[in-house]
Amino acid sequence: MRTETSPLRSLIPAPLLARLEQANMPYTGYHLLRETLFTRLLGESEASILYWLGRDLGTELNIQSEDDLVLTFIQLGLGKLEPVKLEKKFAGYRLSHPQFMYYPAERLSRSLALECGIVAGALSRLHDPCPLHGQFLVVCAKDSRPEHALITIEEKRTT
């Protein structure tokens, strides 16, 4: 039986993590960072850089189950992550966040590259060998409801 610990403990010291979890901060600073500073700093490379940063972060998190991945997204304020379909060469998730309704689909897809990377990195750590190995094709699109996005990760086919 494993002890209940946060997957974030591998990146954030426990005393600081406990204080952060008790804080109730406004979303404005997060929005400014993600939607203004990232766009200006990363420019056209924003989606690729965010994906690879997220993937690296996903492999460093102490994710030991799908539930850990869902909990981590909630703890980080990234939204509610729900597995939709998990197969050998395909993983699909629905990510819900009230802020998504304010973004156009193209912007949401670029911005959520970080979340896509976290999922891909966590899956590579969670499954050994990873069912999704090699080059990935990551797609993020708006769902039928404006506060939902669909994240799909599949193995890139070589031709």
Side-chain angles (χ1 to χ4, degrees):
M1 180 178 205
R2 75 183 181 107
T3 59
E4 291 300 318
T5 61
S6 170
L8 298 176
R9 279 193 154 172
S10 58
L11 298 176
I12 302 171
L16 177 58
L17 182 60
R19 279 190 240 122
L20 289 173
E21 288 174 343
Q22 294 173 0
N24 186 10
M25 300 298 289
Y27 187 75
T28 308
Y30 175 80
H31 177 78
L32 176 69
L33 176 71
R34 290 284 304 256
E35 301 309 315
T36 305
L37 299 180
F38 280 4
T39 304
R40 288 180 188 173
L41 181 65
L42 304 176
E44 293 295 317
S45 301
E46 177 186 18
S48 346
I49 292 170
L50 289 178
Y51 171 77
W52 287 105
L53 286 171
R55 186 174 167 91
D56 186 55
L57 181 62
T59 60
E60 289 182 37
L61 292 168
N62 188 19
I63 304 288
Q64 297 180 14
S65 69
E66 285 287 329
D67 289 340
D68 282 352
L69 183 57
V70 170
L71 175 64
T72 299
F73 267 71
I74 292 169
Q75 288 177 318
L76 291 174
L78 299 175
K80 180 181 178 190
L81 186 70
E82 301 172 73
V84 175
K85 194 173 196 181
L86 299 174
E87 295 178 355
K88 185 175 181 181
K89 296 185 179 191
F90 177 88
Y93 293 87
R94 179 175 288 111
L95 182 59
S96 307
H97 197 292
Q99 295 297 318
F100 293 170
M101 67 179 51
Y102 302 110
Y103 300 112
E106 185 273 331
R107 178 67 202 136
L108 188 65
S109 180
R110 282 189 16 218
S111 179
L112 291 182
L114 178 73
E115 287 82 346
C116 292
I118 291 171
V119 170
L123 287 178
S124 70
R125 179 184 168 115
L126 195 56
H127 302 286
D128 187 24
C130 180
L132 299 171
H133 59 281
Q135 296 293 315
F136 296 113
L137 175 63
V138 179
V139 178
C140 182
K142 278 201 171 196
D143 195 1
S144 57
R145 289 186 270 176
E147 70 277 5
H148 289 196
L150 291 175
I151 295 173
T152 57
I153 302 171
E154 60 185 283
E155 189 173 339
K156 203 183 266 188
R157 294 187 180 106
T158 56
T159 54

